[in-house]
Amino acid sequence: MASVKSRRPYRSRLRAEQAAQTRLRILEAAGALFAVSGYVAVTIDAVAEKAGVAADTVYAIFGNKRGVLSALVDLRVTGSAEESDVLAGDAPRALRQVTDQRQMVAGFAADIAERVERVRPIDDVLRSAAVVDSDIAELRARMQANRFSKIGAFTEWLATLGRLRDEMDADEATATTWMLTSPEVNRMLRDVRGWSSQRYSEWLSATLLRVLLP
């Protein structure tokens, strides 16, 4: 009996790892399909087939296609299939410990530039789907509000280290940062102007330093 009990934690970990891999495989499959065909045209059956799982598995994990899309956004934002709070990640927690304003802005810019690069393709899917699907429009609106809130945490951290440019208040600092780090701005610079990801990241850091700090 003792040997049976000792194997249970291992089996539990193995099942958890397999479940996490299945979840990630479904999200990656959905992301690839959405990018090519758009949200509306993709079915749960198609996602399941590409991921190599049963459609019932997709429903059991995500509930519906909207749930898949929402989880995919979380994955792109956080970089983790299991974590939905961006502030709980290693980079934001490390940033919170920085004591120099310029270093904090530079660290934030580098981190969020990578996130925007990951998120923007799926935000393109959201924008297109929101035109014809009110539920997706509501989801994107909530995401925008959540993004504003998370950026507000950064500007609060920044303000505790010293004054902001021209006595800028927290709401203006958050709104300015929210706008500059938006997928829309990334799209204009990367697609319309043809900038590289490195140039975009460097521009974002330099611009945030200029507009936020004295």
Side-chain angles (χ1 to χ4, degrees):
M1 291 296 291
S3 61
V4 172
K5 290 182 179 180
S6 67
R7 287 197 296 269
R8 287 177 180 171
Y10 170 78
R11 290 175 178 173
S12 296
R13 286 194 302 272
L14 182 60
R15 284 195 296 269
E17 290 171 359
Q18 290 172 337
Q21 290 171 359
T22 298
R23 178 184 174 87
L24 181 59
R25 193 163 68 249
I26 292 170
L27 292 177
E28 290 176 340
L33 290 172
F34 290 153
V36 172
S37 304
Y39 174 80
V40 175
V42 174
T43 65
I44 289 292
D45 285 342
V47 172
E49 181 178 358
K50 188 169 183 63
V53 300
D56 286 347
T57 301
V58 181
Y59 284 114
I61 296 174
F62 300 102
N64 52 35
K65 188 167 69 169
R66 184 171 179 271
V68 174
L69 182 59
S70 179
L72 180 59
V73 171
D74 286 342
L75 172 63
R76 296 288 175 84
V77 171
T78 65
S80 168
E82 302 302 322
E83 181 59 67
S84 61
D85 182 5
V86 66
L87 296 182
D90 291 340
R93 284 191 286 115
L95 192 67
R96 183 67 181 90
Q97 305 305 313
V98 174
T99 57
D100 178 83
Q101 278 186 312
R102 296 186 70 83
Q103 290 179 7
M104 178 175 282
V105 171
F108 169 81
D111 178 55
I112 202 166
E114 291 184 3
R115 297 180 192 274
V116 175
E117 291 278 307
R118 292 198 305 260
V119 168
R120 212 259 291 173
I122 198 62
D123 186 68
D124 289 345
V125 173
L126 279 164
R127 290 175 66 252
S128 298
V131 175
V132 296
D133 190 321
S134 60
D135 285 341
I136 300 303
E138 180 185 353
L139 172 63
R140 188 167 188 266
R142 285 207 311 270
M143 285 170 47
Q144 292 281 30
N146 183 62
R147 192 170 72 84
F148 190 92
S149 174
K150 301 303 184 185
I151 289 174
F154 157 71
T155 55
E156 286 181 8
W157 300 344
L158 191 64
T160 63
L161 299 180
R163 67 187 182 90
L164 302 179
R165 184 181 181 88
D166 299 329
E167 303 302 328
M168 180 184 290
D169 63 25
D171 184 70
E172 183 181 353
T174 301
T176 300
T177 306
W178 178 75
M179 180 271 293
L180 289 171
T181 60
S182 67
E184 289 85 352
V185 169
N186 177 273
R187 183 180 302 107
M188 287 189 291
L189 296 178
R190 295 280 279 115
D191 288 2
V192 179
R193 299 307 307 162
W195 283 16
S196 67
S197 59
Q198 180 178 349
R199 184 178 181 185
Y200 164 73
S201 179
E202 291 172 350
W203 167 85
L204 185 59
S205 180
T207 302
L208 288 173
L209 284 168
R210 284 197 299 269
V211 300
L212 293 177
L213 300 184

